Amino acid sequence: MDLNNIKDPSVVKNLTDEEMRNLAQDVRNFLINNLSETGGHLGANLGVVELTLALHRTFDSPNDRFLFDVGHQSYVHKILTGRGGQFDTLRKYQGLCGFPKRNESEHDVWETGHSSTSLSAAMGMAIARDLKNESHSVVPIIGDGALTGGMALEALNHIGHEKKNITVILNDNEMSIAKNVGALHSALARMRSAGKYNRVKDDFEWLLKKIPAIGGRVASTAERLKDSMKYFVVPGMFFEELGFTYYGPVDGHDFEDLQGNLDYARKTEGPVIVHVMTQKGKGYQPAESDVKDKWHGVGPYKIDSGEKIKPADAPPAWSEVISEALREEAREDERIVAVTPAMILGSKLEKFGEEFPDRLYDVGIAEQHATTMSAGLATQGMRPFLAIYSTFLQRGYDQVIHDVARQNLNVIFGIDRAGLVGADGETHQGVFDIAFLRTVPNMSIMMPKDENEAKHMVHTAVKYEDGPIALRYPRGNALGVEVADKPETIDIGSWETLKPGKDAVILTFGTTIPLAIEAAETLQEQGVDVEVVNARFMKPMDEKMLHEIFERNIPVLTLEEAVVQGSFGSAVLEFQSDHGYYNRSLKRIGLPDRFVEHGDVKDLWKEVGLTRENVVDKVLKLLPQSEKRA
């Protein structure tokens, strides 16, 4: 079947199981071939091919609502809903989004890039359906990893209580991004090994009916006996105790098994859990055999060998730079404990865990718990390092304020993926953390210009005794500079001048320092001498240097890869106002007041004005007319 020409899911409605199997193979080949060029979330999508096809055969999208939790497993859904012909643009600038996108298709009813949200959204949609006297199905598809998130458990509790008609598809592949952890994961494992609960229950009911009538006692106790079977067949029966009807486990790659259980679930009143077993990476050997889940999200690769296509001799990733520096510190300081919410691989903590297995804790997809657990560690004199993506720290914001900063605890926040991350788009852009952390009392925030300074900042954070401190670092590779053998402590709040100048000053840090240097060099050619300052601490700022700059009465430009509202530039503007430097020229460059979509970071920088031309233009406009050069 030509997948580029599929217009809507009706194509699967009347297919036989054999035709569905052939289509599944076509879909797998399509994904393997296309993602070898564009990159994307391969493993998750290969695992849900049959499941997605069966869902679209059973239900009627968009009338029935499909909510893909996290959304990185929605590629098959996109193909069946008429977007196969756009896959050459997947995750590219102004191309097909790698997650569900409401403005892409009427079949995408819920947007998500963070896990554990689908059940709460589904509950809202079910309530709205019932209030409007409508009758469509609401079908959230959630992974076993996402189910460990607190928000998902809150929603399960509420759905079970309200008895709403919601069909929850539990896609159980024993993985999220990495191997799942926790007691709930273990409970699911027991369910997997227990076999088909409903099939056994139905067989038991059939046997009861075969017993000759021997009085009222059998009849009156049969239903209780039947219900009590679940305690023997599926240990705990967690979901049924919450008020759900449980079907499964179901073979997620067997159309007959899928179809029978989905049909049964669709007709069942009240909330239903269909527990579907799938294999992540199904149908592509390198992804199937990937125990560390390096095929979750991939760049381009060679199909035959599975070899990843990467630039030769690239510098180490920023995450690796930070984790290696932390590992060195941990050898000298037994108080250091690394904590991460399901991101051991993403934050490059594997080697730390190998060397210090008792000092690395993966808490699963539980950012709030990770933050408060780190606070608990700090109360006992430990030095917790919470490795967490900027976009995921948003979920722990209350805990940052209430549990960490309010108690002024020595928690180190390793804020990974700070800045624009590119292909993952709006849900993953790490551009808000400066703004939402800067207003928190007791919090310090810093960002290195290169890996050498990063090593010093890790050491500085470990030695810091005056409260929480955040160390931001971007996605991608570092610069490749030489790193000192011995780390040094940096004075908290201190800045450094990278290039002196007398006509204007650019205050910047981290990823935008090279841009500032380039702009200053261009301005130098035009006769404008611009100073560039590495404002490596966003909080506290170097107030002594700021006073000196404003007293020189020269224009100031702040430059940052973060939202312009409330971030570093706003802090400088507040300083200017608070200290009465009213007649000084100041301009801020940062991200505009909107969400930035997916694409190559270079294209996104151009879109939002992080360009040499824009920086040069803004500096020239700040200069008094008499100082501008031809």
Side-chain angles (χ1 to χ4, degrees):
M1 185 179 294
D2 186 352
L3 303 186
N4 291 322
N5 292 329
I6 291 177
K7 302 301 181 185
D8 59 65
S10 63
V11 69
V12 303
K13 294 298 183 185
N14 298 313
L15 296 182
T16 65
D17 284 355
E18 181 61 29
E19 290 170 329
M20 290 283 275
R21 282 189 285 272
N22 291 335
L23 178 56
Q25 188 57 53
D26 290 342
V27 170
R28 281 201 169 86
N29 292 339
F30 180 92
L31 290 173
I32 292 166
N33 286 314
N34 277 273
L35 270 61
S36 71
E37 297 181 3
T38 64
H41 291 101
L42 180 64
N45 285 287
L46 290 177
V48 298
V49 174
E50 289 87 358
L51 173 58
T52 308
L53 293 175
L55 285 169
H56 275 289
R57 186 165 67 171
T58 305
F59 295 95
D60 181 27
S61 175
N63 181 52
D64 293 328
R65 277 54 162 177
F66 290 161
L67 296 85
F68 289 90
D69 205 283
V70 182
H72 57 230
Q73 78 283 45
S74 62
Y75 292 5
V76 186
H77 167 77
K78 286 177 182 269
I79 293 169
L80 293 179
T81 53
R83 287 168 276 178
Q86 302 174 52
F87 261 72
D88 60 336
T89 71
L90 181 69
R91 291 158 48 95
K92 294 181 180 179
Y93 184 62
Q94 297 184 341
L96 193 67
C97 182
F99 296 95
K101 192 76 172 169
R102 294 175 70 205
N103 65 10
E104 260 186 24
S105 172
E106 63 180 343
H107 297 274
D108 291 3
V109 301
W110 180 247
E111 294 183 11
T112 181
H114 290 183
S115 80
S116 312
T117 67
S118 64
L119 301 184
S120 296
M123 183 59 172
M125 292 182 187
I127 291 171
R129 174 199 61 201
D130 295 347
L131 289 173
K132 295 191 292 183
N133 294 316
E134 296 173 348
S135 59
H136 56 266
S137 297
V138 178
V139 187
I141 300 101
I142 185 169
D144 51 321
L147 200 64
T148 65
M151 189 173 175
L153 298 177
E154 293 172 18
L156 279 178
N157 180 59
H158 189 213
I159 293 168
H161 173 73
E162 295 288 344
K163 305 295 183 186
K164 292 294 181 184
N165 288 340
I166 296 175
T167 302
V168 178
I169 308 299
L170 172 55
N171 174 32
D172 184 357
N173 58 22
E174 303 186 59
M175 303 281 278
S176 49
I177 292 179
K179 191 76 173 177
N180 287 325
V181 298
L184 184 55
H185 169 67
S186 300
L188 288 175
R190 291 194 293 273
M191 293 183 194
R192 295 181 204 111
S193 63
K196 298 286 194 298
Y197 160 55
N198 280 288
R199 181 177 299 170
V200 174
K201 190 170 75 169
D202 290 344
D203 290 346
F204 183 70
E205 183 178 11
W206 179 83
L207 286 171
L208 284 176
K209 290 179 180 178
K210 291 290 184 181
I211 299 175
I214 56 174
R217 281 185 298 173
V218 171
S220 63
T221 61
E223 195 63 34
R224 278 184 296 156
L225 282 168
K226 197 171 66 174
D227 287 340
S228 68
M229 280 293 294
K230 64 191 176 188
Y231 295 103
F232 296 99
V233 179
V234 182
M237 277 312 299
F238 174 75
F239 299 115
E240 294 223 357
E241 291 297 336
L242 283 176
F244 286 77
T245 300
Y246 173 84
Y247 297 118
V250 179
D251 184 345
H253 304 296
D254 183 314
F255 282 114
E256 183 179 359
D257 202 7
L258 280 167
Q259 199 66 59
N261 280 277
L262 290 176
D263 285 340
Y264 205 13
R266 184 169 57 86
K267 298 171 184 175
T268 301
E269 287 294 314
V272 175
I273 289 272
V274 183
H275 185 180
V276 181
M277 300 296 300
T278 62
Q279 180 183 8
K280 204 167 183 181
K282 176 75 172 177
Y284 184 51
Q285 194 278 327
E288 282 188 1
S289 59
D290 176 25
V291 295
K292 292 189 175 181
D293 212 34
K294 293 183 178 180
W295 285 89
H296 170 77
V298 297
Y301 56 90
K302 297 179 181 179
I303 297 174
D304 292 342
S305 64
E307 179 185 353
K308 308 294 177 60
I309 300 173
K310 294 182 178 180
D313 302 322
W318 276 104
S319 302
E320 184 177 351
V321 169
I322 299 298
S323 65
E324 283 301 299
L326 184 68
R327 189 157 67 116
E328 290 181 17
E329 294 290 334
R331 292 179 187 134
E332 305 297 326
D333 192 335
E334 294 182 352
R335 301 175 302 161
I336 294 174
V337 177
V339 180
T340 185
M343 298 311 300
I344 286 179
L345 297 178
S347 292
K348 307 293 185 185
L349 289 167
E350 305 102 304
K351 292 181 180 178
F352 185 99
E354 291 170 3
E355 186 168 350
F356 305 106
D358 295 334
R359 290 198 270 159
L360 172 61
Y361 287 87
D362 181 352
V363 302
I365 303 174
E367 295 85 358
Q368 295 171 303
H369 167 59
T371 305
T372 299
M373 174 180 146
S374 297
L377 281 164
T379 64
Q380 302 305 301
M382 305 302 286
R383 185 66 85 239
F385 183 98
L386 175 55
I388 186 168
Y389 289 11
S390 170
T391 183
F392 299 153
L393 181 59
Q394 294 161 190
R395 301 183 134 201
Y397 186 50
D398 176 66
Q399 288 69 32
V400 170
I401 294 175
H402 189 274
D403 299 331
V404 178
R406 188 181 57 83
Q407 299 185 82
N408 201 31
L409 297 173
N410 295 322
V411 174
I412 305 167
F413 292 91
I415 304 181
D416 202 343
R417 270 62 166 179
L420 293 169
V421 299
D424 282 335
E426 296 164 284
T427 57
H428 284 59
Q429 313 285 25
V431 297
F432 302 104
D433 57 88
I434 297 175
F436 70 66
L437 289 177
R438 190 177 67 80
T439 58
V440 178
N442 298 325
M443 180 65 71
S444 296
I445 312 169
M446 57 185 175
M447 187 173 191
K449 67 178 185 294
D450 55 36
E451 48 264 63
N452 186 54
E453 192 168 60
K455 181 173 184 175
H456 298 323
M457 284 188 172
V458 171
H459 181 72
T460 300
V462 169
K463 298 301 181 184
Y464 186 61
E465 300 283 350
D466 295 325
I469 187 165
L471 169 57
R472 309 177 75 241
Y473 44 102
R475 184 178 186 176
N477 296 328
L479 305 183
V481 305
E482 186 176 348
V483 177
D485 292 333
K486 186 176 181 180
E488 300 174 359
T489 301
I490 302 172
D491 290 339
I492 299 295
S494 64
W495 295 352
E496 63 173 352
T497 300
L498 300 177
K499 176 190 175 300
K502 58 182 177 57
D503 296 328
V505 178
I506 299 175
L507 303 177
T508 190
F509 53 89
T511 53
T512 48
I513 285 176
L515 173 59
I517 296 293
E518 289 178 10
E521 290 172 350
T522 299
L523 287 162
Q524 195 75 51
E525 294 171 359
Q526 300 180 30
V528 179
D529 189 17
V530 177
E531 184 171 310
V532 177
V533 172
N534 175 18
R536 55 195 175 189
F537 285 89
M538 290 101 261
K539 183 183 180 182
M541 299 189 297
D542 192 331
E543 295 196 357
K544 179 180 179 182
M545 183 178 285
L546 274 174
H547 279 298
E548 292 172 353
I549 289 169
F550 280 115
E551 286 168 2
R552 287 158 61 189
N553 196 16
I554 58 176
V556 175
L557 179 75
T558 65
L559 176 62
E560 58 190 315
E561 190 184 7
V563 290
V564 73
Q565 294 188 128
S567 295
F568 171 70
S570 294
V572 176
L573 189 63
E574 292 162 11
F575 177 90
Q576 179 190 28
S577 174
D578 291 345
H579 293 89
Y581 295 115
Y582 302 120
N583 61 341
R584 291 359 182 231
S585 297
L586 186 146
K587 182 70 178 178
R588 298 173 297 154
I589 294 180
L591 273 64
D593 184 25
R594 60 177 174 81
F595 292 102
V596 179
E597 296 195 1
H598 59 279
D600 187 276
V601 171
K602 292 180 181 178
D603 292 325
L604 299 181
W605 272 36
K606 185 176 181 180
E607 177 187 307
V608 300
L610 293 178
T611 64
R612 178 174 59 180
E613 293 76 15
N614 190 41
V615 174
V616 169
D617 178 65
K618 293 296 188 292
V619 171
L620 290 175
K621 288 180 178 177
L622 283 170
L623 292 172
Q625 193 66 34
S626 60
E627 293 185 27
K628 294 180 181 179
R629 305 295 189 265

